[in-house]
Amino acid sequence: MTGIGGVEMGAQAARSRALAVLRVRSRALAVALLPAAAAVILLVGGSTGHLAGGGWDVLRWVVSVLALCVLLAAGGVALVVARSRPAVTPTVTVAEESAPDLYRMVRDLADRLDVPAPSAIALTPDCDSWLEDRTHPAHGPPPAEKHHDDLAGPGGPAHRRSATAPVLVIGSPFLWWMRVGELRAVLAPVVAGTGPSAHPDIAAARRFIRGLDAAVAVASAGRRDPLSRMVCAGLGWASRLLLRGCRGHAAEMERGVAAAAAERAQAVDYGLRIVAQEQVGLAYAGWDRLLTRVALPAWRMGRWPSRLDVGVVAALTELSRRDRLAEGFASRLGERPACDLLEEPGVMDEAVSLLAARLFHGGPAETGADWSPVGWEEYPEEVVDRTWRTDAARLHRVLDTLGVRRAAEGAAPGTDGPTLARVLDHLATPDAASTAPLTAGTDAHAAGTETENGPDTPPAAPDAPTDAPQPAYEDPDAPTDAPRPAYEDPDASRLPFGDSDASRPSYGDPGASRPPVDDFDAPQPPYGDSGTPHPPYGDHATPVLTVPAEDDEDDLADTTARGAALAAGLTAQLAREEAEARPAGARAPSSAPGPAAGPDDALWDDRALPLLPLQPPRTGREILTAHITAMVCCAAMDTAGAAPALDWLDGPSLLFDGARTADLAPSVLSLVETGDPGPLRAWMTELGIRPEKPVRLV
């Protein structure tokens, strides 16, 4: 009785709030009709002789014109609200032919919950699941008739149910990481939300909210001519005014829907749901690390990993091993994975991986010469090695622009190529260079390593080369007493999977029913302006910066003068390269046939990509540190036999004799921040890396 009472109370609260939303719509209609009603009264009074006279005639004309203008404006707003396409989450549709077992599980779940089955199933590259209404005419026709009987559920005509039931959107990481029973338990409260969604008042309130949100987006698009700008301004003002009046009621309505769905789902796999929620947090932690540490470097190189969901399983397996969860994890592996519910999981994984690249990075919709898939077995050579060598080549190009000599005077022949010693000598401060051991035969030259402008003078501008001699580099074979940097814990920055909602992005239709999988009683996000422009992402910012920003200047305050100049040059060079490559990466999807499964491009606007940037733009110090690290790794591979590798949680890594090196970052930071190359030289000497040897660049 408690469950039934909770369901009824939640549904009743949702219906009452839906009626409150509809009352706002009714009041707006009444306000729009008020001048027309006054005009009718004046016209009737004049025709009957009760309101005669010149003053009444003028008033009749004024009120009639005002009523006509208000009716035209209200009709225009109503037409835009009714015809504008609401926002829809980018997804990959799963046809029933490609996942009959998954559809069968969802239908059985809907039968047990005594609710209508979802009209379709779609996948999204996000660790969440929700219901989304796509019944608007702009979203295309409803699913094919042959599926109506199967998905309708008991009680009611098949066509009517399928036309009004929302779409079930499932996070793809859940399918690959969770077992079938766990996925069923997680989806139970979500599928239960189709019951309240079928109520006429709740459905009408949601349509009204989605229409207002779409109208705000239309008004925010902006027009060039003054008349269009004035019309859009009026449309936006009216839509936002109505949204403000509905926001509180709509949020409470969604809370009531979520509460009713959660109460109804308690009778289905309640005990397993508790265990499944732990896997939700673990899946989000591994998915976040995979995207930011593994996928992002590949996307920046013009390659997109074609098996992201397979990679998340490997990442979560590694995370479980590091956190000593292997015993409980091993017992789960004996159960059937949820991806077995798909007929061709590889095809779906590839489609979702491409969609993730578009959403989080803004890549093209199709594979091309500069945008090709990469498998995990090819990742170390195709992504890690290529990324390091590309960054190292960029570093030396900027050094050439700064006029830095390729080799010190008196150096051995053949050492004028791209060497790590060139970078170390340029960034080392005179004090640090004078205390470091010198290469044999260069002591006479070491005494004159200061520039003509003094040791603390910044280097010349990029367009003004300088012939100032650079500090000599040390002999890697000479003994050194430099202290060894402390060991860096590779797991120190790992995300705790208990905090699965930290800085989590959200997107899609704010009017859709999206009960969160972790807490179905949590308040839903308020309805807002879907036309808000998205911030720039990573190195893809539109302006080509030649002067560091204010935040960048603060970030470079802790570096040396030469380091700051080199970081500014690298930042400008990266911006120029991104500006040159942007037109090819932002091309519109062509009409060429795509893969068997692909994103629903017709349902969403991809002109503002990426929709969900993963990270803010890198600072100058971060860019400089990454380029120096890449140069060190290139020298290690070419002179000491190291190899590039892929770490599932930390991304690109360097292997020596099959073991990962984890203490490079403190040595590089010491060089960047203080100009002291001692820790880095000691680290390279221990591993046998020769900085004076030229390296191979891209």
Side-chain angles (χ1 to χ4, degrees):
M1 294 298 295
T2 303
I4 297 177
V7 172
E8 292 299 329
M9 290 180 59
Q12 191 64 31
R15 293 167 189 167
S16 63
R17 292 294 181 171
L19 291 175
V21 172
L22 296 179
R23 281 196 294 271
V24 173
R25 185 182 65 179
S26 301
R27 293 192 190 102
L29 179 61
V31 171
L33 293 177
L34 187 61
V40 169
I41 294 175
L42 291 175
L43 291 174
V44 171
S47 63
T48 57
H50 291 82
L51 301 177
W56 288 108
D57 293 337
V58 173
L59 184 60
R60 267 190 292 271
W61 277 104
V62 171
V63 174
S64 298
V65 172
L66 176 63
L68 181 60
C69 293
V70 171
L71 287 177
L72 290 176
V77 172
L79 183 62
V80 173
V81 170
R83 299 294 298 175
S84 296
R85 185 178 65 180
V88 174
T89 306
T91 57
V92 175
T93 298
V94 180
E96 186 172 2
E97 294 80 4
S98 61
D101 293 342
L102 180 60
Y103 272 76
R104 188 177 302 110
M105 184 192 76
V106 172
R107 286 197 299 266
D108 294 342
L109 197 57
D111 290 341
R112 290 187 59 183
L113 295 170
D114 193 23
V115 295
S119 59
I121 299 176
L123 300 182
T124 180
D126 188 17
C127 289
D128 202 354
S129 297
W130 65 89
L131 295 172
E132 188 163 279
D133 188 1
R134 295 183 178 178
T135 58
H136 194 276
H139 295 156
E145 285 290 336
K146 61 181 180 180
H147 303 317
H148 288 171
D149 295 336
D150 294 336
L151 293 176
H159 178 76
R160 186 171 182 272
R161 283 286 180 86
S162 64
T164 58
V167 174
L168 174 61
V169 181
I170 305 175
S172 63
F174 292 165
L175 279 175
W176 269 260
W177 173 244
M178 291 185 172
R179 309 295 101 178
V180 173
E182 295 170 348
L183 181 66
R184 179 188 180 94
V186 167
L187 293 181
V190 184
V191 175
T194 60
S197 299
H199 192 275
D201 294 335
I202 296 177
R206 284 176 169 172
R207 284 194 300 270
F208 179 57
I209 291 293
R210 286 194 301 272
L212 289 177
D213 187 75
V216 170
V218 171
S220 301
R223 299 296 186 270
R224 294 183 178 180
D225 55 289
L227 180 60
S228 298
R229 284 200 300 267
M230 183 177 63
V231 172
C232 289
L235 173 63
W237 175 82
S239 301
R240 290 187 180 92
L241 181 63
L242 293 175
L243 275 177
R244 284 194 295 269
C246 298
R247 181 181 290 118
H249 299 300
E252 292 298 330
M253 178 185 68
E254 296 299 342
R255 291 191 185 98
V257 170
E263 287 290 339
R264 184 180 293 274
Q266 283 187 357
V268 178
D269 300 330
Y270 180 75
L272 189 57
R273 281 178 59 195
I274 300 176
V275 179
Q277 294 305 319
E278 300 176 359
Q279 304 305 320
V280 170
L282 185 62
Y284 182 77
W287 182 249
D288 180 77
R289 290 291 288 257
L290 183 74
L291 291 180
T292 56
R293 304 295 182 89
V294 178
L296 187 57
W299 293 338
R300 285 173 173 165
M301 293 303 299
R303 308 295 297 273
W304 54 278
S306 58
R307 295 292 185 269
L308 279 180
D309 290 307
V310 172
V312 77
V313 176
L316 291 173
T317 303
E318 177 66 15
L319 184 60
S320 301
R321 183 189 64 80
R322 293 186 185 182
D323 285 284
R324 297 179 177 87
L325 300 177
E327 296 181 1
F329 172 73
S331 62
R332 294 179 63 254
L333 292 182
E335 304 174 12
R336 184 188 182 192
C339 62
D340 282 355
L341 299 174
L342 303 174
E343 290 292 315
E344 297 180 348
V347 175
M348 288 295 172
D349 195 359
E350 183 174 358
V352 173
S353 299
L354 180 58
L355 178 59
R358 301 191 66 196
L359 292 178
F360 297 115
H361 185 69
E366 297 174 351
T367 298
D370 299 328
W371 187 248
S372 58
V374 60
W376 293 126
E377 65 280 356
E378 305 167 350
Y379 189 94
E381 292 295 332
E382 297 293 331
V383 176
V384 180
D385 183 85
R386 184 182 170 195
T387 299
W388 286 342
R389 298 191 186 278
T390 301
D391 288 351
R394 184 182 301 110
L395 177 62
H396 281 278
R397 285 198 302 271
V398 174
L399 288 176
D400 291 339
T401 304
L402 294 175
V404 179
R405 185 179 291 110
R406 282 190 171 264
E409 295 180 1
T415 60
D416 57 346
T419 63
L420 177 58
R422 182 194 189 196
V423 180
L424 298 180
D425 294 345
H426 176 68
L427 292 178
T429 59
D431 294 339
S434 62
T435 58
L438 301 178
T439 304
T442 60
D443 300 85
H445 175 68
T449 55
E450 293 187 1
T451 61
E452 297 177 358
N453 296 328
D456 298 328
T457 303
D463 295 331
T466 177
D467 296 329
Q470 303 301 316
Y473 52 84
E474 68 171 344
D475 184 2
D477 296 329
T480 179
D481 296 329
R484 178 70 183 271
Y487 177 80
E488 181 189 22
D489 184 5
D491 301 334
S493 60
R494 187 171 64 251
L495 288 175
F497 49 82
D499 186 14
S500 61
D501 290 327
S503 66
R504 184 174 187 174
S506 59
Y507 57 95
D509 182 5
S513 174
R514 290 186 57 177
V517 292
D518 290 328
D519 184 5
F520 293 94
D521 296 327
Q524 301 297 313
Y527 301 98
D529 182 2
S530 63
T532 303
H534 298 278
Y537 165 73
D539 300 322
H540 295 270
T542 302
V544 178
L545 300 178
T546 56
V547 179
E550 182 178 353
D551 294 340
D552 229 14
E553 291 178 351
D554 295 339
D555 179 74
L556 294 174
D558 296 333
T559 63
T560 62
R562 290 183 175 181
L566 184 56
L570 289 171
T571 302
Q573 180 65 24
L574 269 173
R576 284 191 293 268
E577 294 177 4
E578 295 293 346
E580 294 173 358
R582 190 174 299 114
R587 61 181 181 270
S590 66
S591 58
D600 303 324
D601 293 327
L603 298 180
W604 55 288
D605 185 5
D606 59 353
R607 290 175 295 179
L609 293 174
L611 299 179
L612 301 171
L614 288 178
Q615 294 177 338
R618 291 184 294 177
T619 62
R621 183 168 62 173
E622 291 173 344
I623 293 175
L624 177 60
T625 302
H627 282 72
I628 295 176
T629 302
M631 187 63 200
V632 174
C633 293
C634 290
M637 291 187 295
D638 292 347
T639 67
L646 167 62
D647 185 276
W648 290 111
L649 295 175
D650 295 325
S653 60
L654 187 66
L655 296 184
F656 273 96
D657 298 328
R660 177 189 171 194
T661 59
D663 51 355
L664 174 60
S667 303
V668 175
L669 287 178
S670 177
L671 176 65
V672 171
E673 295 176 354
T674 65
D676 182 13
L680 183 57
R681 293 186 187 274
W683 182 84
M684 292 188 298
T685 301
E686 180 178 347
L687 296 176
I689 302 174
R690 302 186 63 85
E692 77 279 2
K693 296 292 185 180
V695 299
R696 177 174 58 88
L697 303 178
V698 174

